[in-house]
C-alpha cells in the first residue's frame, strides 16, 4: 500500500496504486523475456471476462481505450459519409476515435441527472446517414443504455458504449459490459485499474473476435493464438487494413495484479465518495449532488457540480492554495476548433455543466485525514 499523504503534501487528483505486488508482477513479466502480446495478454482478457461474469461474450485487449473505440468503429464498418451521434460532454478521445474512421461526429446533449447522452435528444438527430450512437458512462454512473439500444434497434443502428469510467459499475444489477452492444473499457494510468496504458473491447458476437484480433495486429489473420503461447506464426496472410494496438505482456501482467485488487479499489472509492457527500451535503445551496448512494457505482472520479459556475475559477485557486489539486471533466466538444462545424442539436445542459463541474481528489487508499482535509477546504471557500 502507498504511504499516506502527509498534512503538508499536495493532494493530487489521481494517484494510481503501484504497490509491491504490482511491481513484482511487472518484474516477473520482464524476467520471462517475452515482452509482446503473449499468454499474459490472454490471461488478462480471461480475468476481465471472469470479473464481469461474461457469458457468451469475449474481451479483446488493446493498448488504450481510444484504440478500442476506434477498432469498434472499424468493426461495424464506419467510414466517410456515415454519422455517429456522440455526447458533446465527454473527453475528446471518443470523438477522435470516431473521426479517425472517416465518419462524421454529430454532437448531442446529455441529460441533467447522470450527464450521459440523452436518448430523447439522440432521437431528434437520427438521419439516413446515422450508423451508430456513442454512449458514455460519466464518472462511473451507468448511462441509459437500455433506452439507447432500443432506439438503435428501431433505426438499425449500433451502440458503442464508452465505459472508460465504469469498470466495475452495475446497472440494474448487471455489470457494465455484460449486456448491450459493444463496450469499451480503459485501463489507463488513472483508471479503476491500470495496465499503465490499455483498454479492451467486449463483444457479444464470437465472430467479431477474429476480426478484432486482425484489426489490432496489422490485419494478420493467423498469429494471435501462437502469440498467446509465446510463439510466432511465420506463415500468415494480411486480410484487411489493420493497426498496431495490441496489449503487451508487461502491461498485461500489471493488469492481472490490479484485477486481484479491484474489488477493494471499488469499495474504498465508494467509501470516499460517500464521505464527500456526507461532508459537503450542507452546502446544498451551492452544490448539486448526483442521485446515487454509490452502491452499484465504481467511481472513477468525484465531481462537484456548482450551482453558480462563475465561482469555479475562484474555488480552483482557493483549493490550490490549500495544496489540493482539482480537474475539469469535461469541456464541450463543440468548443474545439476541430468540431466547431459538426452537426449538432441544442446543447443547453452541456453548455451549463461544462462551467459547473469540478473534480476533487479520488484514488485508492486515501486516508480519512486527506478526505477530511479536502472537505474542510471546500467548506472554507464559502465560509470565507
Amino acid at each position: 500500500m502507498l504511504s499516506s499523504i502527509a498534512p503538508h503534501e499536495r493532494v493530487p487528483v489521481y494517484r494510481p496504486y503501484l504497490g509491491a505486488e504490482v511491481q513484482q508482477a511487472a518484474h516477473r513479466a520482464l524476467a520471462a523475456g517475452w515482452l509482446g502480446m503473449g499468454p499474459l495478454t490472454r490471461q488478462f482478457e480471461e480475468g476481465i471476462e471472469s470479473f464481469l461474469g461474461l457469458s457468451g461474450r469475449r474481451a479483446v485487449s488493446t493498448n488504450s481505450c481510444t484504440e478500442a473505440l476506434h477498432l469498434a468503429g472499424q468493426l461495424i464498418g464506419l467510414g466517410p459519409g456515415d454519422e455517429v451521434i456522440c455526447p458533446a460532454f465527454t473527453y475528446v478521445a471518443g470523438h477522435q476515435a470516431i473521426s479517425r474512421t472517416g465518419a462524421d461526429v454529430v454532437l448531442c446533449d446529455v441529460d441533467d441527472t447522470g450527464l450521459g447522452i440523452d436518448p430523447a435528444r439522440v432521437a431528434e438527430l437520427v438521419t439516413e446517414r446515422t450508423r451508430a450512437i456513442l454512449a458514455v458512462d460519466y464518472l462511473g454512473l451507468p448511462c441509459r443504455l437500455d433506452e439507447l439500444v432500443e432506439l438503435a434497434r428501431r433505426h438499425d443502428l449500433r451502440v458503442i458504449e464508452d465505459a472508460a469510467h465504469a469498470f466495475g459499475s452495475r446497472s440494474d444489477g448487471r455489470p457494465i459490459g455484460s449486456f448491450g452492444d459493444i463496450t469499451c473499457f480503459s485501463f489507463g494510468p488513472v483508471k479503476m485499474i491500470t495496465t499503465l496504458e490499455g483498454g479492451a473491447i467486449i463483444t457479444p458476437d464470437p465472430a467479431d473476435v477474429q476480426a478484432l484480433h486482425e484489426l489490432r495486429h496489422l490485419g494478420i489473420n493467423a498469429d494471435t493464438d501462437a502469440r498467446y503461447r509465446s510463439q510466432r506464426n511465420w506463415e500468415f496472410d494480411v486480410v484487411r487494413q489493420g493497426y498496431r494496438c495490441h496489449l503487451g505482456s508487461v502491461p498485461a501482467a500489471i493488469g492481472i495484479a490490479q484485477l486481484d485488487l479491484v474489488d477493494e479499489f471499488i469499495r474504498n472509492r465508494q467509501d470516499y465518495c460517500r464521505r464527500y457527500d456526507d461532508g459537503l451535503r450542507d452546502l446544498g445551496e451551492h452544490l448539486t449532488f448526483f442521485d446515487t448512494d454509490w452502491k452499484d457505482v465504481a467511481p472513477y472520479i468525484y465531481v462537484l457540480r456548482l450551482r453558480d459556475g462563475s465561482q469555479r475559477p475562484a474555488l480552483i485557486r482557493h483549493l490550490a492554495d490549500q495544496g489540493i489539486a482539482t480537474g475539469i471533466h469535461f469541456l464541450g466538444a463543440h468548443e474545439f476548433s476541430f468540431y466547431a462545424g459538426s452537426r449538432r442539436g441544442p446543447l443547453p445542459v452541456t453548455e451549463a455543466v461544462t462551467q459547473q463541474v469540478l473534480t476533487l481528489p479520488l484514488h485508492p487508499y486515501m486516508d480519512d485525514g486527506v478526505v477530511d482535509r479536502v472537505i474542510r477546504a471546500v467548506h472554507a471557500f464559502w465560509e470565507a
Side-chain angles (χ1 to χ4, degrees), residues 124-305:
E124 296 169 354
L125 291 169
V126 173
T127 71
E128 71 229 2
R129 292 178 56 200
T130 307
R131 290 288 305 281
I133 302 164
L134 180 69
V136 178
D137 302 308
Y138 181 64
L139 70 75
L141 296 171
C143 66
R144 294 158 64 184
L145 188 63
D146 290 334
E147 295 176 58
L148 294 167
V149 169
E150 178 57 32
L151 172 64
R153 285 176 179 153
R154 292 201 303 270
H155 295 279
D156 195 24
L157 309 177
R158 301 298 298 271
V159 178
I160 300 173
E161 183 180 11
D162 179 349
H165 291 193
F167 188 70
S169 289
R170 292 173 173 266
S171 176
D172 296 327
R174 303 165 298 174
I176 298 298
S178 68
F179 65 103
D181 195 350
I182 300 172
T183 306
C184 298
F185 289 113
S186 173
F187 310 119
V190 296
K191 294 304 191 297
M192 182 61 70
I193 65 168
T194 183
T195 57
L196 305 185
E197 292 285 358
I201 306 170
I202 310 298
T203 173
D205 186 350
D208 289 346
V209 175
Q210 178 63 26
L212 288 168
H213 285 173
E214 293 164 1
L215 284 164
R216 75 173 176 185
H217 192 220
L218 303 171
I220 294 173
N221 73 335
D223 199 29
T224 292
D225 287 344
R227 286 176 180 269
Y228 281 168
R229 300 189 302 272
S230 297
Q231 299 172 0
R232 291 286 302 272
N233 186 341
W234 297 106
E235 296 182 2
F236 57 82
D237 192 11
V238 176
V239 297
R240 65 173 75 233
Q241 174 63 57
Y243 308 89
R244 195 172 184 87
C245 55
H246 53 273
L247 190 71
S249 293
V250 177
I254 292 171
I256 292 165
Q258 295 261 320
L259 277 172
D260 288 340
L261 300 163
V262 66
D263 288 326
E264 187 172 353
F265 291 168
I266 293 170
R267 283 194 300 271
N268 62 42
R269 284 175 181 251
Q270 290 171 332
D271 288 344
Y272 307 146
C273 288
R274 293 184 185 112
R275 195 174 183 89
Y276 275 139
D277 279 356
D278 292 344
L280 298 171
R281 190 74 68 182
D282 60 343
L283 295 176
E285 66 179 292
H286 305 293
L287 303 173
T288 300
F289 294 88
F290 291 95
D291 183 19
T292 179
D293 61 3
W294 305 103
K295 178 178 179 293
D296 285 330
V297 180
Y300 160 55
I301 48 178
Y302 183 87
V303 174
L304 296 180
R305 187 172 173 186

Side-chain angles (χ1 to χ4, degrees), residues 74-98:
Q74 295 288 357
L75 180 70
I76 67 174
L78 293 179
D82 296 332
E83 290 186 341
V84 178
I85 300 173
C86 307
F89 180 70
T90 188
Y91 190 49
V92 72
H95 306 119
Q96 286 279 289
I98 298 302

Side-chain angles (χ1 to χ4, degrees), residues 41-59:
T41 307
R42 181 58 193 142
Q43 186 180 338
F44 177 55
E45 292 169 343
E46 290 171 343
I48 294 169
E49 293 164 1
S50 176
F51 174 71
L52 297 176
L54 300 187
S55 177
R57 291 173 177 250
R58 285 281 300 276

